[in-house]
Amino acid sequence: MTDSHTDTPKATMIRPAEACDEAAILACAEQAYSRYIPVIGRKPAPMLADYRGQIAAGQVWIAEDGSDLAGFIVFAPQGDVMLLENVAVLPAAAGRGIGKALIGCCEAEARRLGLRAISLYTNEKMVENIAIYPKLGYVETRRGEEDGFRRVWFEKPL
């Protein structure tokens, strides 16, 4: 999963996160998700994540534009599916295909592992996410409350 990935913007490289990336990942999450605080009424789940533990578990991948972090994704196998827990792109890097490239990285890893699908969720108040996931081939599978958040779950067969 490098810049040779077909969905990755030309100057962007995707690689596994390292411990030294934690501060940049936290800053990216803050910038990408702080606009949802007034909509949701509190910090969204991606702003509360244990990125240190996820990095140590090999679940975080970052997109670098040049030498700077432009976005990141968190995913991990859960049975026969890949759970895509979080994808964030810096507002300054929005519109350049970085989010799509990160999701493509997750899908490629799931295929490499022989998993049957990608599963993801979003907050039901993040209406732009709910609108975009079907355009990427994801189908809504359920809605419900989990960890105090109202979530909408999607799945994409591989």
Side-chain angles (χ1 to χ4, degrees):
M1 264 104 3
T2 66
D3 56 354
S4 64
H5 188 281
T6 57
D7 289 337
T8 305
K10 190 173 183 178
T12 302
M13 183 178 91
I14 299 175
R15 65 167 176 82
E18 300 172 4
C20 63
D21 297 315
E22 183 181 3
I25 289 167
L26 290 170
C28 181
E30 181 74 24
Q31 290 180 46
Y33 290 103
S34 63
R35 67 188 173 112
Y36 293 109
I37 295 171
V39 175
I40 296 172
R42 64 183 183 149
K43 287 184 176 184
M47 294 180 78
L48 306 172
D50 171 20
Y51 292 110
R52 179 173 291 160
Q54 292 172 325
I55 291 167
Q59 298 173 349
V60 184
W61 293 65
I62 64 169
E64 292 178 327
D65 191 17
S67 61
D68 298 324
L69 183 138
F72 69 92
I73 190 166
V74 180
F75 58 83
Q78 302 285 311
D80 64 348
V81 302
M82 183 70 80
L83 176 61
L84 192 167
E85 290 193 34
N86 182 7
V87 62
V89 175
L90 288 172
R96 297 195 315 216
I98 293 170
K100 186 176 179 182
L102 286 163
I103 291 172
C105 170
C106 175
E107 291 177 3
E109 184 66 8
R111 283 186 181 94
R112 186 187 73 76
L113 294 172
L115 302 178
R116 70 167 182 81
I118 304 285
S119 177
L120 60 83
Y121 57 86
T122 190
N123 190 291
E124 71 178 14
K125 292 184 179 180
M126 293 179 170
V127 294
E128 59 275 358
N129 289 353
I130 294 169
I132 198 160
Y133 290 132
K135 294 176 185 175
L136 298 174
Y138 290 81
V139 176
E140 183 177 328
T141 58
R142 65 184 163 104
R143 291 179 182 235
E145 188 163 327
E146 184 178 88
D147 298 330
F149 292 99
R150 295 283 311 155
R151 293 190 169 154
V152 181
W153 289 84
F154 292 87
E155 190 169 283
K156 180 178 181 177
L158 297 174

